[in-house]
Amino acid sequence: MSVALMFKSSTTSELEPAIWEVPVSTEKLFYQYWYPVIEKEGYPWLHIISPGIDLDAENLPEVLDELRQLQAAFPRYYTPDDEKYEYITTSIARLIAALEAINPNDLSSGELELFLG
C-alpha cells in the first residue's frame, strides 16, 4: 500500500486523463517517519491521512498549513544523515507544491476532486 494525492477531473482531454495520482510515500515509510511527527505535533488533518482526506476549497488551506508545519518540524526529529531523510523531505516538498498548484475554484465548482490518503 502507499499514500498518494489522487486527482479526479470532470474536464478531460486526450492528453489529460480523468484520474491521476501523485505518489507521496509508501505506507511503511509513512508510519515509520511521517506519522510519529504528525502525532507528536498534533496535526488534526494530517492525522487522518490514513484512512484519507477528501480535500475541498475549505480544508485545502488548513492541510497545506499543516504540511508546511510538518516540513519545518521534520528536522527536529530526524537528521540529514538519516537514511530516508532526503527522500521524505523531498516527498513533503513535492506534495506541498502539488497542492499549491491547485486552483481552489476548481474544487468549489466540482471540476476537480482531490483525495489524500
Side-chain angles (χ1 to χ4, degrees):
M1 298 282 285
S2 63
V3 177
L5 175 61
M6 291 168 263
F7 296 81
K8 183 178 179 185
S9 176
S10 64
T11 58
T12 62
S13 68
E14 286 184 28
L15 300 176
E16 207 174 286
I19 299 174
W20 68 101
E21 66 180 53
V22 173
V24 173
S25 176
T26 65
E27 193 168 24
K28 178 181 177 183
L29 287 179
F30 177 79
Y31 281 109
Q32 185 176 358
Y33 288 92
W34 295 54
Y35 202 73
V37 178
I38 290 167
E39 278 196 322
K40 289 176 185 172
E41 296 290 322
Y43 305 129
W45 285 107
L46 298 183
H47 192 269
I48 58 173
I49 285 179
S50 180
I53 308 167
D54 286 312
L55 297 173
D56 57 36
E58 292 179 20
N59 66 15
L60 179 60
E62 296 171 19
V63 172
L64 265 169
D65 183 53
E66 287 186 14
L67 283 167
R68 290 182 191 112
Q69 290 178 50
L70 174 66
Q71 187 177 40
F74 200 79
R76 292 195 305 266
Y77 294 90
Y78 302 102
T79 60
D81 63 338
D82 188 287
E83 176 184 358
K84 299 295 182 184
Y85 184 88
E86 182 76 24
Y87 172 78
I88 293 168
T89 55
T90 300
S91 295
I92 295 169
R94 184 176 47 247
L95 178 57
I96 290 170
L99 291 173
E100 286 176 335
I102 301 300
N103 180 343
N105 294 332
D106 292 343
L107 293 173
S108 297
S109 69
E111 288 182 37
L112 183 65
E113 295 176 30
L114 291 177
F115 179 80
L116 177 59

